[in-house]
């Protein structure tokens, strides 16, 4: 029941929260709603308690809902930091056509090595099982990407062979601690999936059956739509509700860092008619179709987890969580396997990007997202994954493993969240998330309406994101527009009531 109440409250509050964002954007918000220090944002409410931080979810002992995607080839440089991520989760892709490039000859070494390293550092590994394009699909790849020559997946010519391969994957990796599998990846893009929605549904049903048969404890996730797909879903929902102006503003807010990067796929829109034209495009129809598949798979119990990818501005996170709350069955876990910060010009300062990461992670956890995996842990030295040669997606570490301020914050949040109760914070102008273990709470807080005084009691510590915390001698913390991380032994309800 708590999850059902929380999911329903999130869905109901999303529209109200975005109305506040819209008003702030147009200059019509009351003074108390004006945001300081960046784009306007509001976190979803914490359910029937009115967002006081007393409702939420609890992680298993020693387990954190956070994680990072890292490259096994550079694990020697990352090793010390990975030790601080014990209890977190990472993921990898396992492509049938890579493991078995020639029929009957399989090479598991790459995934085996990664699974062993993850185990050594106490990190859970999730696997995305993809088909790829090769003999198993009876055709050649049409889309080859990156230095690793990744290809789209196609429907296997023999579903029985596919079932057998999936079973072999699960039989092999359940002994290495893997118990969560996704079926395909970002299928709303033709560069990842060449089949139809109906074929994807059949493939997911076949894979889910084999996964559960081989490992009854395993969980099945859907393919995970690309981050750019959700703006289409959000806009489509608002238009269907007759909220034309809100839909236009939502689109431009969600894609604030994307507009102009993909031509006519993601333009800035000035009217509802223009927005409808974009949604009716080939890519628009494809995005909406595959979003509907993800919802259907969850509703029918084919999948156990709704997988989400999010690289947009932190101010768009409430739009995403509100959409998911109204398109995902109550109690069905939502996990964000790919979360990052896409800046098309890569021109933010280190502190700005640290604050961006901190707010994004906090808002997703506050919005009933059960797991948040940051991508990447570190970019390559030459940013070879970026078309511009810039660090468009911000890493927590330098390429050589040196910890950035964002990495300091992630490490601290991992420590605070292990086995903790996770609660959203929406109290007056305060936004953020709280992690409570026993008598101690760590809160990530920022203000959407000027400076806020919060009583944290004696013995508390506080500091901006990315910096070392210092003792709070006065027993009171001033919360500004940028995130501050507070640790206190005051009861959480008492701390928030003081705001």
């Amino acid at each position: 029941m708590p999850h059902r109440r929380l999911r329903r409250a999130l869905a109901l509050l999303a529209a109200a929260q975005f109305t506040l964002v819209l008003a702030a954007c147009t200059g019509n918000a009351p003074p108390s709603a004006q945001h300081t220090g960046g784009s306007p944002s509001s976190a979803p409410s914490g359910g029937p308690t009115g967002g006081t931080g007393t409702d939420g979810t609890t992680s298993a002992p020693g387990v954190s809902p956070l994680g990072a995607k890292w490259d096994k080839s550079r694990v020697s440089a990352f090793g010390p930091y990975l030790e601080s991520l014990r209890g977190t989760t990472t993921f990898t892709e396992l492509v049938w056509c890579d493991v078995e490039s020639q029929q009957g000859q399989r090479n598991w070494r790459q995934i085996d090595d990664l699974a062993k390293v993850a185990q050594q550092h106490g990190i859970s590994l999730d696997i995305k099982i993809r088909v790829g394009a090769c003999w198993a699909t009876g055709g050649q790849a049409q889309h080859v990407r990156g230095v690793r020559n990744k290809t789209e997946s196609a429907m296997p010519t023999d579903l029985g062979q596919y079932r057998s391969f999936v079973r072999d994957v699960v039989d092999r990796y359940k002994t290495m601690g893997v118990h969560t599998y996704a079926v395909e990846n970002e299928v709303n893009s033709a560069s990842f999936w060449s089949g139809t929605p109906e074929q994807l549904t059949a493939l997911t049903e076949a894979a889910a059956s084999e996964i559960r048969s081989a490992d009854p404890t395993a969980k099945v996730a859907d393919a995970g739509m690309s981050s750019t797909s959700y703006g289409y879903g959000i806009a489509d929902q608002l238009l269907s509700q007759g909220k034309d102006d809100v839909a236009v503003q939502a689109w431009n807010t969600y894609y604030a860092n994307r507009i102009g990067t993909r031509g006519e796929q993601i333009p800035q829109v000035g009217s509802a008619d223009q927005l409808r034209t974009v949604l009716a495009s080939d890519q628009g129809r494809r995005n909406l179709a595959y979003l509907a598949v993800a919802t259907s798979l969850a509703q029918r119990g084919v999948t156990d987890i709704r997988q989400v990818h999010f690289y947009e501005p932190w101010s768009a996170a409430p739009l995403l969580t509100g959409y998911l709350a109204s398109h995902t069955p109550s109690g069905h876990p939502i996990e964000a396997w790919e979360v990052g910060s896409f800046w098309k010009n890569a021109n933010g300062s280190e502190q700005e990007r640290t604050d961006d990461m901190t707010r994004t992670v906090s808002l997703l956890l506050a919005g009933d997202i059960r797991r948040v995996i940051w991508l990447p842990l570190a970019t390559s030295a030459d940013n070879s994954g970026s078309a511009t040669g810039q660090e468009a997606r911000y890493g927590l570490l330098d390429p050589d493993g040196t910890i950035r301020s964002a990495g300091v914050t992630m490490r601290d949040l991992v420590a605070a969240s292990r086995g903790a109760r996770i609660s959203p914070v929406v109290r007056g102008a305060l936004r953020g998330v709280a992690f409570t273990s026993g008598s101690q709470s760590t809160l990530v807080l920022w203000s959407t309406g000027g400076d806020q005084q919060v009583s944290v009691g004696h013995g508390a510590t506080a500091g901006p994101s990315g910096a070392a915390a210092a003792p709070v001698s006065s027993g009171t913390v001033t919360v500004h527009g940028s995130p501050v991380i507070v640790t206190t032994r005051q009861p959480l309800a008492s701390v928030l009531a003081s705001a």
Side-chain angles (χ1 to χ4, degrees), residues 168-183:
D168 288 348
V169 169
V170 178
D171 281 337
R172 186 179 191 88
Y173 291 106
K174 69 183 179 183
T175 63
M176 301 185 194
V178 179
H179 299 287
T180 302
Y181 301 86
V183 184

Side-chain angles (χ1 to χ4, degrees), residues 179-417:
H179 299 287
T180 302
Y181 301 86
V183 184
E184 292 300 325
N185 180 65
E186 296 194 355
V187 290
N188 61 294
S189 170
S191 63
F192 279 97
W193 175 248
S194 66
T196 66
E198 293 75 19
Q199 287 176 322
L200 176 69
T201 297
L203 190 77
T204 306
E205 290 171 344
S209 175
E210 296 302 325
I211 290 168
R212 294 185 178 113
S213 176
D215 180 3
T217 69
K219 300 297 182 183
V220 180
D222 64 29
M225 303 301 107
S226 72
S227 177
T228 55
S229 71
Y230 290 101
Y232 287 79
I234 293 163
D236 183 67
Q237 179 182 20
L238 291 169
L239 288 175
S240 71
Q241 295 170 347
K243 301 175 181 178
D244 289 9
D245 291 342
V246 177
V248 169
Q249 184 61 47
W251 174 275
N252 291 328
T253 296
Y254 190 86
Y255 293 120
N257 287 348
R258 298 272 191 179
I259 289 171
T261 63
R262 298 194 181 186
E264 291 306 308
Q265 284 189 25
I266 307 180
Q268 182 166 358
V269 298
S271 68
D273 286 342
Q274 184 184 1
L275 182 54
R276 289 188 179 94
T277 297
V278 176
L279 298 184
S281 67
D282 290 344
Q283 187 60 54
R285 292 196 303 271
R286 182 177 178 116
N287 287 345
L288 295 174
Y290 282 102
L291 286 172
V293 169
T295 297
S296 174
L297 291 172
Q299 290 172 336
R300 295 190 296 114
V302 176
T303 55
D304 305 299
I305 297 165
R306 181 156 195 170
Q307 183 195 159
V308 176
H309 301 174
F310 182 71
Y311 294 97
E312 310 315 319
W314 62 267
S315 55
L319 293 171
L320 174 70
T321 55
Y323 171 83
L324 293 170
S326 60
H327 287 78
T328 308
S330 296
H332 189 88
I334 305 171
E335 298 184 357
W337 287 25
E338 294 189 27
V339 175
S341 173
F342 176 83
W343 287 34
K344 61 185 176 184
N345 297 319
N347 57 358
S349 69
E350 184 171 1
Q351 188 60 54
E352 287 174 322
R353 302 202 79 162
T354 298
D355 288 350
D356 185 75
M357 183 279 293
T358 304
R359 289 190 184 100
T360 297
V361 168
S362 298
L363 287 172
L364 292 178
L365 290 176
D368 202 27
I369 306 298
R370 304 293 184 83
R371 191 179 305 283
V372 175
I373 301 175
W374 190 264
L375 188 158
L377 178 63
T379 56
S380 59
D382 61 357
N383 287 307
S384 57
S386 168
T388 63
Q390 298 174 312
E391 192 174 351
R393 289 180 173 83
Y394 194 63
L396 305 176
L397 311 180
D398 284 334
D400 65 359
T402 301
I403 304 174
R404 294 173 170 174
S405 59
V408 170
T409 296
M410 178 61 79
R411 181 189 63 197
D412 293 345
L413 294 182
V414 167
S417 63

Side-chain angles (χ1 to χ4, degrees), residues 116-138:
K116 290 172 184 175
V117 172
Q119 282 188 308
Q120 290 169 5
H121 291 286
I123 296 172
S124 296
L125 177 65
D126 296 343
I127 292 179
K128 297 182 181 181
I129 303 175
R130 296 187 61 237
V131 175
C134 63
W135 64 267
T137 60

